[in-house]
Amino acid sequence: MSATIEITNVSKRYGALSVLDDISLSVKAGEFVVFLGPSGCGKSTLLRMIAGLEDVTAGTISVGDQRVDTLPPGKRGVAMVFQSYALYPHMTVAQNMSFGLENIGLPKGEIEGRVQQAAATLEIAHLLDRKPAKLSGGQRQRVAIGRAIVKEPKAFLFDEPLSNLDAALRGRTRLELAQLHARLGSTMIFVTHDQVEAMTLADRIVIMHNRGIEQVGTPMEIYRRPASRFVAGFVGSPAMNFVPLKSVTGNGRTLTIGTDGLGDISAAFQLPSSFTPEGASLGIRAEDVSVLPDGQGGIALKAEVVERLGDRTLIYGHLADGTKLTAETDGRSEARGGDTLQLVLDTTAIHLFDAAGIAHHSEGE
Ligand SMILES: Nc1ncnc2c1ncn2[C@@H]1O[C@H](COP(=O)(O)OP(=O)(O)OP(=O)(O)O)[C@@H](O)[C@H]1O
Ligand SMILES: [Mg+2]
């Protein structure tokens, strides 16, 4: 069972403080949508408004073809899973999972069937008689998801459900969630500020910033064609490099992009005539900056810190004019802090951002 979620012109204010401003978003039935953004940007607030734990200040929210923003949480057909699992300590796993269903007066046999089935799905059937204190963090987290599954909601809302788990368990549970989504086919909205979770789980990512939605797209759209300098800098690790622009010349497809740090770069772009270099910047990811073998002329980078990650090496340094830049090279690199390296850019992977932060992507991409 799954339903669309339609958020239309929704705003949220706490007194004089505006937290979300005129948000509209359509989530498809069965879609896995991730809200991603910096701390305090309103991810939880938006999720809680869908769940009915916060009122909307303006706008409407529908689940399926039913308008829900005027309904109490229990009548909306959605189930929310929180970061803190909030299990009842004196109840067993089975009781924790069935509690909500008893409250709505579902027959005993039906409740038992749903609990057994959810427990099997989540591989916690052997834990049904245990109390939460005797469970690991990952097991508690699955119980919390189980409690949502038995409600057979039209949509699941997750607010950073994995953030209390250690890195390994987090990775495993992430995979389990993806499998659960594939199996149930339910609509899911998942809030996180973990990019890896967003990239791996989402059908579409919603990037939130400045009280609004900055971009909605598939993970690779967001990564390869960020709509703004904010998105470009927020998604990807290490963060995208930005170099100030000095000039843009040429017309037609190939432009000469003048910078102090990187010199003149030739790249294919179709820029609007209104584009000016004032306040604009060039963006390129570390993985699109390569280090040339010794002795070959390129763009000079003075290495400051070298990070060896095993499979690859990150070189943090600065260009001739002092602009900071990160380059990526292979794991066997012998580069050391203090070295001057020669770089070459993949000019098909360049982005230009105007003074307002609006992105333009190389046509070579
Ligand atoms: N009850 C409240 N009263 C006033 N301001 C609030 C209230 N709840 C949240 N806020 C403010 O609303 C903004 C959005 O908060 P929210 O919890 O939605 O952020 P978030 O994106 O989930 O952040 P995080 O990643 O840290 O969880 C914040 O600036 C927060 O301080
Ligand atoms: Mg939050």
Side-chain angles (χ1 to χ4, degrees), residues 133-306:
K134 299 203 169 152
L135 300 176
S136 72
Q139 290 167 336
R140 275 179 222 167
Q141 199 266 347
R142 275 183 275 174
V143 176
I145 295 175
R147 200 169 44 179
I149 290 178
V150 294
K151 291 183 189 155
E152 301 188 347
K154 292 183 225 161
F156 290 86
L157 309 175
F158 295 98
D159 195 354
E160 309 217 30
L162 309 185
S163 53
N164 286 339
L165 307 180
D166 70 44
L169 189 55
R170 206 174 163 140
R172 268 207 314 279
T173 315
R174 192 173 78 215
L175 201 64
E176 285 172 6
L177 256 181
Q179 290 164 340
L180 184 73
H181 178 248
R183 213 157 39 221
L184 299 178
S186 313
T187 310
M188 295 187 174
I189 300 182
F190 187 99
V191 165
T192 184
H193 44 239
D194 182 312
Q195 303 192 21
V196 178
E197 274 171 27
M199 291 294 289
T200 54
L201 286 171
D203 292 319
R204 285 190 303 159
I205 297 176
V206 176
I207 305 274
M208 295 176 59
H209 177 53
N210 264 346
R211 309 201 312 279
I213 292 177
E214 190 94 3
Q215 185 173 6
V216 181
T218 66
M220 286 317 281
E221 277 164 9
I222 300 268
Y223 189 77
R224 307 284 305 177
R225 300 180 73 80
S228 65
R229 180 168 161 154
F230 172 79
V231 176
F234 187 73
V235 175
S237 176
M240 187 182 281
N241 295 298
F242 296 110
V243 175
L245 281 201
K246 215 169 60 179
S247 60
V248 176
T249 51
N251 38 34
R253 239 181 125 241
T254 304
L255 301 180
T256 303
I257 301 158
T259 70
D260 279 330
L262 301 167
D264 286 348
I265 295 158
S266 227
F269 270 93
Q270 223 136 40
L271 293 178
S273 55
S274 57
F275 187 93
T276 61
E278 284 79 45
S281 53
L282 176 154
I284 188 158
R285 294 198 188 278
E287 68 210 46
D288 299 316
V289 179
S290 347
V291 177
L292 290 168
D294 278 350
Q296 291 192 25
I299 298 160
L301 179 78
K302 178 93 169 163
E304 284 157 15
V305 176
V306 174

Side-chain angles (χ1 to χ4, degrees), residues 5-20:
I5 298 176
E6 198 71 39
I7 298 167
T8 312
N9 303 118
V10 164
S11 296
K12 179 67 181 176
R13 281 190 293 278
Y14 289 107
L17 177 73
S18 166
V19 174
L20 293 167

Side-chain angles (χ1 to χ4, degrees), residues 14 17 19 37-46 54 160 191 193:
Y14 289 107
L17 177 73
V19 174
S39 188
C41 72
K43 305 180 293 295
S44 296
T45 302
L46 186 54
E54 294 282 352
E160 309 217 30
V191 165
H193 44 239

Side-chain angles (χ1 to χ4, degrees), residues 68-116:
V68 298
D69 55 89
T70 47
L71 299 178
K75 297 257 190 268
R76 296 190 178 200
V78 301
M80 186 146 164
V81 179
F82 300 89
Q83 174 181 354
S84 58
Y85 316 125
L87 301 177
Y88 297 109
H90 58 284
M91 292 186 189
T92 64
V93 166
Q95 288 164 343
N96 263 287
M97 284 167 69
S98 45
F99 182 67
L101 304 183
E102 283 160 10
N103 274 353
I104 57 169
L106 221 58
K108 213 172 163 56
E110 168 77 20
I111 294 177
E112 260 167 38
R114 287 195 195 182
V115 168
Q116 289 294 342

